[in-house]
Amino acid sequence: MRKRVVIIGGGAAGLMAAAESAKRGNETLLVEKMSRPARKMMITGKGRCNVTNACFEIEDFISHVPHNPRFLYSAVSAFMPYDTVALVESMGVPTKVERGNRVFPQSDKAVDIVDAFVKYAGQSGVKFVQGTVSDLEITDGLVTAVLLENGERIACDAAAVCTGGKSYPLTGSTGDGYRLAQQAGHHITPLHPSLIPLVARNNFITQLQGLSLKNVAIKVLEQDKVIYEDFGEMLFTHFGVSGPIILSASAHMEEPQGREYRLVIDLKPALDEQQLDKRLQRDFAANNNKDFINSLGALLPNKLIPVIVKLSKIAPAQKCHQITREERRRLVQLLKGLTLDITGFRPIEEAIVTSGGVDVREINPKTMASKIVPNLYFAGEVIDVDAYTGGFNLQIAFSTGYLCGQNI
């Protein structure tokens, strides 16, 4: 018997779930509030769409998921990153792998990925409906209809909530799915931003605005305990710091207000303190009669030099041959441990993903079906799972959407 299925939300998870459902012979309707599906996919990867990560071993992938990783074993095993790459390329969109195993379309245009997935869903038999879901009609413990704000009632045999989180509300992710899940009796774990820039209070931050640093190492300390370490690229902004390693660090932090978080940046991770000291001695010898502030051009970006000079407490006009061993030792420690005091997250609207969501204990990880309402399913960011930056979160959306569509 052909069933009628309603997928709520036309992002990565919803498009995948809808396509898989339709391919199995279900009459599948995808309800999306925006005039165009997958608006959030359009802005991922700075508009290039970091579609997945070429992380082809399940354990390796799961290691990049800090929240509820075990829940995802079945979903990711069912639809791996290489399946995403194969599907995208079968749609006529060639891909490429960049630093950190990030997978992008060769065109560097997110619209190519979005158009391909919308076309794929349509060709699979999905019918698109524009509208905002106001309520689920639940009768005798089952979803019997999806109700729209315009008063329309869409009767169904099953429904899936694939609405995304609360980040980037202009793309349609306004937290509707949490309300629908609660209406069905589900618990929502506390919501907070993840993969989000960090606010710092240090007075030199504004001087460094726009400075991008590559190949630096960071540590995040809560009080004096290291809670996260990473290596890669970061960016200074007018409010604090951002960039790939900062966003991943935020996934290990709770709302900083009332907590003591420090970010320690090693500007020269390839050198230990002794090697860095020898490097400084060579640089100072080569600039023997120059002012200290004019001797650091080969070591540091120009924008960073005045800040480091001020923090080192070495007089800018002091000649290099006058710099003492103690002053050099302090400079080494500064270069190996530039410290920022983290005071907050940017608003959740600026987060790449929302941490928290529908409690995974109330979802069957092998089918994505609700354990409370048997014909209700979930996929994507609305579930309490999130991963690091680098294509992992989109892959989670595709994998959970695929498993949802297979089983609905």
Side-chain angles (χ1 to χ4, degrees), residues 68-75 360 363-365 368 383 385 400:
N68 295 318
R70 293 186 61 82
F71 175 81
L72 290 171
Y73 268 98
S74 294
V360 297
I363 302 172
N364 184 334
M368 297 295 123
I383 303 171
V385 287
T400 54

Side-chain angles (χ1 to χ4, degrees), residues 215 217 231 266-272 275 336:
N215 303 319
F231 173 87
D266 184 346
L267 297 167
K268 296 293 172 184
L271 304 175
D272 62 24
Q275 291 169 326
K336 297 289 288 181

Side-chain angles (χ1 to χ4, degrees), residues 203-217:
N203 56 14
F204 56 79
I205 285 292
T206 53
Q207 294 174 250
L208 299 178
Q209 179 179 347
L211 174 63
S212 178
L213 297 177
K214 296 181 178 180
N215 303 319
V216 295

Side-chain angles (χ1 to χ4, degrees), residues 15-26 120 124 401-402 405-406:
L15 287 167
M16 181 66 85
E20 289 303 313
S21 169
K23 283 164 61 178
R24 275 151 187 75
N26 296 323
Y120 174 65
S124 299
Y402 178 86
Q406 289 250 318

Side-chain angles (χ1 to χ4, degrees), residues 135-147 180-186 372-376:
D135 291 291
L136 299 175
E137 181 183 281
I138 299 176
T139 307
D140 297 328
L142 294 173
V143 178
T144 50
V146 170
L147 309 179
L180 297 174
Q182 285 178 313
Q183 183 191 340
H186 280 272
I372 298 170
V373 179
N375 68 338
L376 178 64

